[in-house]
């Protein structure tokens, strides 16, 4: 089977991936979620002409020239408006957020007023009509579309939805990705290891990758290299309602690489297996009903680079989000060999020097080396059959952080 080019693999994996169905969540739990429906204002804000300042509501004709003496006929705190009418020569003590009483058409701020006692004030600065008044509907009107479908619920969006009187919102269901590690050699972190064993690490990075685009991750643990053990966890994933099943390891050609057989045995239709990418060649993709199955290579760096390139955009789409890789132009700090048929993602340190990005590739690119991946902040992307490059040549970098 020919190796599938990276772009084609991504296209096939994303084919038909659209936002999952909506669900209602209380506003208090809606931060970071994506709207499945627009938010329409259920009220007008402010619902009345409101004072924007602490001071005195008056008639502008009375305070156009100063000094002006007025009689205070009442008080209007926020939440309790004055119900009378402000007549000529009169004022109402008013506070920020209170409705402007009938008859008044301006607010004199209290800094521009002297209290003469006996219910009299003297206005010391002329104040024109409409000053310090927020007109009804200044912010929004009942029926206005305030937030579009697909909007990420950030702090401003949440407060706006609350102000529009929504106690709950309809948001896109968060995709669920079930993660299955495979391998007789693997034990969870914190274990006493036998001589032939290592720690199962990939699930943690894959979980974090999924969560970074708002998905939920269900770590189903480690299956031994036996068909029945792997199949049992695949069934668990299906029962849990996974939208995506990610397997770790067992994707290659060894005698113990059982993933593809098990998944097809469970009903998966294989879409592709093996792509023209380094690291990540054994990547596998198929569909088990509506569930997308991604077989990530076991090598830790390959599993995380493939998560970044394939799993992240898929989960973002299912969650109703836009996701674009952060690709930048940079200069190479070192020469690079001509590339072969696999698109190469070369771990590198990217720094800004004299206003431009400079990428220094690590000299070793073994896909088992997690420490180097953690030290890298970018991946130099080398197209298949890219010619040899010199230090100083332009390159393309996928930024990781
Ligand atoms: N003859 C060939 N051998 C290999 C090929 C090939 O094309 N022909 N491809 C190589 C490439 S590329 C990769 S990547 C690996 C991936 O193979 P698998 O997906 O089958 O992975 P495993 O063999 O199960 O494991 C590889 C390696 O990674 C470790 N591993 C596995 N899972 C985890 C985990 N959850 N956490 C940490 N480390 C894990 C495992 O112990 C192995 O060391 O195959 C090459 N071989
Ligand atoms: O995916 Mo493999 O990394 O090319 O070792």
């Amino acid at each position: 089977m020919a190796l599938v080019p990276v772009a084609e693999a991504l296209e096939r994996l994303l084919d038909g991936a659209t936002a999952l169905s909506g669900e209602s969540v209380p506003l208090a739990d809606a931060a970071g979620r994506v709207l499945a429906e627009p938010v329409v204002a259920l009220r007008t804000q402010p619902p009345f002409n409101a004072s924007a300042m602490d001071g005195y509501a008056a008639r502008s004709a009375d305070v156009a020239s100063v000094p002006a003496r007025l009689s205070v006929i009442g008080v209007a705190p926020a939440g309790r408006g004055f119900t009378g009418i402000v007549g000529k020569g009169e004022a109402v003590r008013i506070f920020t957020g209170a409705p402007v009483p009938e008859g008044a058409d301006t607010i004199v701020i209290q800094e521009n007023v002297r209290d003469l006692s006996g219910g009299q004030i003297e206005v010391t600065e002329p104040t024109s009509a409409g000053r310090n008044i927020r007109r009804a509907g200044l912010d929004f009107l009942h029926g206005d579309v305030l937030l579009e479908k697909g909007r990420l619920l950030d702090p401003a969006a949440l407060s706006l939805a609350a102000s529009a009187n929504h106690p709950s919102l309809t948001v896109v269901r968060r995709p669920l990705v079930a993660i299955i590690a495979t391998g007789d050699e693997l034990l969870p972190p914190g274990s006493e290891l036998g001589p032939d064993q290592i720690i199962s690490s990939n699930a943690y990075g894959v979980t974090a990758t999924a969560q970074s685009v708002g998905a939920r991750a269900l770590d189903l643990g480690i299956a031994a290299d036996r068909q029945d053990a792997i199949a049992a966890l695949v069934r668990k994933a299906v029962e849990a309602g996974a939208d995506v099943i990610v397997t770790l390891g067992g994707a290659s050609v060894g005698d113990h690489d059982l993933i593809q057989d098990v998944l097809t045995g469970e009903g998966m239709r294989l879409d592709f297996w093996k792509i023209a990418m380094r690291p990540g060649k054994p990547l596998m993709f198929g569909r088990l009903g509506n569930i997308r199955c991604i077989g990530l290579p076991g090598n830790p760096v390959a599993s995380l680079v493939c998560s970044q390139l394939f799993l992240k955009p898929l989960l973002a789409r299912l969650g109703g989000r836009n996701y674009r890789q952060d690709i930048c132009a940079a200069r190479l700090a070192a020469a690079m060999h001509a590339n072969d048929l696999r698109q190469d993602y070369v771990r590198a340190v990217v720094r800004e020097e004299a206003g431009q990005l400079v990428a220094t590739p690590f000299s070793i690119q073994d896909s088992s080396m997690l420490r180097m991946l953690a030290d890298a902040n970018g991946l130099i992307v080398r197209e298949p059959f890219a010619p040899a490059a010199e230090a100083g040549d332009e390159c393309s970098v996928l930024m990781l952080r």
Side-chain angles (χ1 to χ4, degrees):
M1 212 197 271
L3 301 183
V4 179
V6 171
E8 183 189 328
L10 182 62
E11 204 174 291
R12 282 160 71 167
L13 187 124
L14 293 179
D15 187 36
T18 52
L20 299 172
S21 56
E23 64 182 4
S24 177
V25 296
L27 206 51
D29 299 331
R33 302 293 297 268
V34 172
L35 282 174
E37 289 171 4
V39 170
V40 176
L42 300 177
R43 54 182 289 277
T44 292
Q45 174 61 21
F48 41 74
N49 294 336
S51 178
M53 298 295 236
D54 298 324
Y56 293 84
R59 298 159 75 102
S60 56
D62 288 346
V63 293
S65 53
V66 292
R69 190 180 265 248
L70 302 173
S71 307
V72 180
I73 59 164
V75 183
R80 220 167 339 112
F82 177 75
T83 49
I85 300 174
V86 178
K88 193 165 162 35
E90 292 176 338
V92 162
R93 179 75 171 117
I94 197 164
F95 297 91
T96 306
V100 177
E102 208 182 321
D105 65 352
T106 193
I107 307 295
V108 181
I109 61 170
Q110 65 192 48
E111 292 87 334
N112 294 341
V113 167
R114 277 201 309 131
D115 191 346
L116 301 178
S117 79
Q120 299 288 301
I121 56 165
E122 184 179 76
V123 177
T124 57
E125 288 290 330
T127 313
S128 55
R131 279 303 300 275
N132 306 315
I133 293 175
R134 297 189 175 120
R135 290 277 155 212
L138 174 72
D139 200 356
F140 54 79
L141 296 173
H142 190 285
D144 281 354
V145 175
L146 301 178
L147 298 165
E148 299 292 342
K149 174 180 168 177
R151 165 73 186 245
L152 184 74
L153 290 165
D154 55 17
L158 283 166
S159 285
L160 177 59
S163 179
N165 208 12
H166 289 272
S168 59
L169 294 172
T170 306
V171 295
V172 178
R173 189 165 67 69
R174 294 172 68 197
L176 177 66
V177 53
I179 302 170
I180 300 171
T182 64
D184 289 339
E185 75 281 26
L186 302 176
L187 284 173
S191 302
E192 285 279 341
L193 293 175
D196 303 328
Q197 292 176 313
I198 62 162
I199 295 296
S200 178
S201 58
N202 297 351
Y204 298 91
V206 173
T207 294
T209 304
Q211 289 170 343
S212 73
V213 286
R216 293 170 298 148
L218 173 66
D219 184 349
L220 290 174
I222 304 161
D225 283 322
R226 285 194 333 266
Q227 299 235 7
D228 63 323
I230 301 167
L233 291 191
V234 170
R235 285 177 200 148
K236 246 189 178 174
V238 174
E239 276 159 27
D243 301 293
V244 178
I245 296 175
V246 166
T247 56
L248 305 168
S252 191
V253 292
D255 295 346
H256 304 281
D257 295 339
L258 307 169
I259 288 298
Q260 207 182 121
D261 285 352
V262 172
L263 284 168
T264 44
E266 295 298 307
M268 182 192 77
R269 270 187 305 109
L270 182 70
D271 190 318
F272 63 79
W273 176 47
K274 291 193 180 170
I275 64 172
M277 174 171 164
R278 179 174 32 247
K281 180 172 116 183
L283 184 76
M284 183 218 72
F285 173 61
R287 291 164 196 259
L288 176 55
N290 286 331
I291 306 172
R292 287 173 167 79
C293 301
I294 301 179
L296 293 178
N299 273 328
V301 176
S303 80
L304 292 186
V305 172
C306 286
S307 293
Q308 171 72 32
L309 282 162
F310 296 98
L311 182 63
K312 215 167 171 178
L314 171 64
L315 293 175
R317 278 263 190 113
L318 295 175
R321 293 160 189 254
N322 293 318
Y323 182 77
R324 282 180 49 225
Q325 303 286 356
D326 182 8
I327 309 250
C328 302
R331 298 266 163 211
L332 285 175
M336 297 191 83
H337 293 299
N339 195 15
D340 62 8
L341 77 172
R342 290 160 75 185
Q343 183 148 309
D344 219 339
Y345 290 86
V346 180
R347 279 70 84 199
V349 172
V350 185
R351 286 196 195 87
E352 195 174 319
E353 283 174 22
Q356 77 173 3
L357 296 178
V358 176
T360 309
F362 288 102
S363 54
I364 308 175
Q365 293 286 325
D366 188 302
S367 70
S368 69
M369 294 168 69
L370 274 176
R371 188 163 112 185
M372 205 181 58
L373 182 66
D375 286 344
N377 62 340
L379 301 169
I380 300 169
V381 185
R382 301 268 290 150
E383 297 290 326
F385 306 110
E390 298 298 324
D393 284 356
E394 190 165 284
C395 65
S396 179
V397 176
L398 190 160
M399 296 304 295
L400 295 172
R401 57 190 162 85

